[in-house]
Amino acid sequence: MTGGIATAVGSWPGADPREAANTVLGELAELTHLPELPGRGLGADMIGRVSALLVDMRFDTSTRGYRLAARPGAVSRRARDLLRADLDALEEAWETSGSAGTGRVVKVQAAGPLTLAAEVELHGGHRALTDSGALRDLSESLAEGLAKHVAEVGKRLGARVVLQLDEPSLTDVLNGSLRGVSVLDTVRAMPDPEALAVLDAVIDAQAVPVLVHSCAEPPALAFLRRSAAAAIGFDVATIRTRDLDSIGETLDAGKRLVLGLVPTIDPATMTTASAAKSAPPAPVTWREIAEPGVRLIDRLGFPRTALADRVLVAPACGLAGAPLPWARRALSLANEVARAYADDPESLTFS
């Protein structure tokens, strides 16, 4: 993974995999991705989709989400069918665009092991995270399934592949802020070394670069810096002064940053009613989107060439909840910012 390019987190609005594949393939020339369409419901969301990837483990549903199942059922079949449709749509778009065999890079995404174990239940209703044996089995199954998935995508597309692990629950796992089966039942905070061993075991099992992304607020940056991930992605709006040292140390460690700079909701739609009456809101510009990333690098004391060499640009999080016009605009803005970072970052000024 190089800097100065745009990508997206993964999820996309709507339920048409062909439209989604054609859109992201057209907009993200250097690091496109396999779109996720959680709007299709059961088995299409971040956790349910993993049921299509696991080896010898499957999910069914519980009253609160998903739980481990003794045998394949409707959830697993639906997850596999949806993932297969997504891969078929991307392969068709890939061939139509002339990308097959060019060595173009594609990113695939999946829930990371800690978030997965935090969200999937055992038969008794407890989170899989609370059982060391279940956590180990789930992580090993995920690692093996992801390696097979990555190999299949690379073979079908004739592409280089990057794997993204999504860990939105990571901060809660480390802080012990997950609820148990009742109000009185709490889930213990997982010590950093234990959590790091789980995450790194999945990363180390892959033969491709791995990006770990977290939309948590705050993201566990000090923890992720110590991981085996090649890149770390987060929403820049969640960063506070206390996070700066961890970000600088991440860059010093040779990792890439995927900065979530583009809002998942059009800022113009968040204008107050009184302001809207006086004047229509001005569309957000790439320069407004670019500014926080530039100021971050300046504040850390790195040369601005780091924006071209070490920083990728993305939406703040997934775009599944965005209107389709804004989702498309978000990718366009990410591209404009990435080009500005890559072309001449030293010339960027902000009033």
Side-chain angles (χ1 to χ4, degrees):
M1 283 181 288
T2 60
I5 63 175
T7 190
V9 173
S11 68
W12 190 256
D16 185 341
R18 282 184 170 79
E19 180 184 44
N22 282 306
T23 300
V24 301
L25 190 57
E27 292 286 347
L28 301 172
E30 296 184 79
L31 186 55
T32 194
H33 68 288
L34 176 64
E36 302 169 356
L37 302 172
R40 294 174 298 184
L42 189 70
D45 59 288
M46 181 182 66
I47 299 299
R49 191 176 182 87
V50 177
S51 188
L53 301 172
L54 295 176
V55 175
D56 298 329
M57 298 184 81
R58 299 290 182 267
F59 299 161
D60 61 16
T61 55
S62 72
T63 55
R64 294 184 295 186
Y66 297 98
R67 65 183 173 191
L68 291 173
R71 61 186 61 85
V75 171
S76 299
R77 287 192 295 271
R78 177 170 169 76
R80 285 181 176 275
D81 288 345
L82 291 173
L83 180 58
R84 186 63 50 193
D86 293 344
L87 284 172
D88 290 344
L90 182 59
E91 183 177 14
E92 179 182 311
W94 199 263
E95 292 177 352
T96 301
S97 68
S99 299
T102 63
R104 191 174 173 181
V105 185
V106 65
K107 179 167 66 68
V108 297
Q109 308 82 216
L114 297 167
T115 290
L116 182 62
E119 299 301 326
V120 172
E121 298 177 2
L122 303 172
H123 293 293
H126 294 277
R127 299 176 190 267
L129 191 73
T130 63
D131 184 302
S132 59
L135 173 60
R136 181 188 63 250
D137 292 346
L138 195 57
S139 299
E140 290 177 353
S141 176
L142 176 65
E144 184 179 352
L146 286 173
K148 291 181 177 180
H149 177 54
V150 164
E152 180 187 1
V153 172
K155 183 177 180 180
R156 286 181 62 164
L157 303 184
R160 292 178 293 153
V161 181
V162 170
L163 172 63
Q164 176 180 305
L165 297 178
D166 290 311
E167 288 284 8
S169 300
L170 175 59
T171 300
D172 289 334
V173 169
L174 298 176
N175 291 346
S177 49
L178 292 166
R179 284 189 56 181
V181 293
S182 69
V183 176
L184 300 178
D185 179 39
T186 58
V187 178
R188 73 176 180 96
M190 181 175 285
D192 282 17
E194 184 179 337
L196 196 61
V198 171
L199 179 60
D200 278 353
V202 174
I203 295 174
D204 291 340
Q206 309 309 313
V208 298
V210 177
L211 151 68
V212 178
H213 179 269
S214 178
C215 285
E217 186 175 352
L221 296 178
F223 171 88
L224 290 173
R225 174 183 58 79
R226 299 194 299 274
S227 75
I232 295 171
F234 53 88
D235 178 358
V236 171
T238 65
I239 297 304
R240 302 293 180 262
T241 301
R242 63 177 180 269
D243 300 312
L244 294 178
D245 285 345
S246 293
I247 298 173
E249 290 167 0
T250 298
L251 287 170
D252 280 334
K255 299 183 189 297
R256 303 291 191 270
L257 299 181
V258 182
L259 298 184
L261 291 167
V262 186
T264 56
I265 299 174
D266 184 353
T269 65
M270 296 186 285
T271 306
T272 62
S274 58
K277 290 178 181 178
S278 59
V284 66
T285 67
W286 70 262
R287 190 172 290 275
E288 294 172 73
I289 301 298
E291 182 175 359
V294 176
R295 295 199 183 280
L296 174 63
I297 293 299
D298 287 350
R299 192 171 181 184
L300 291 172
F302 284 87
R304 286 195 179 178
T305 52
L307 292 166
D309 301 334
R310 310 284 293 283
V311 170
L312 291 78
V313 179
C317 206
L319 293 167
L324 187 56
W326 175 251
R328 290 173 173 153
R329 175 66 176 146
L331 297 191
S332 178
L333 285 167
N335 270 318
E336 292 180 76
V337 173
R339 281 196 297 270
Y341 284 178
D343 290 345
D344 190 8
E346 296 291 348
S347 70
L348 295 173
T349 58
F350 307 97
S351 57

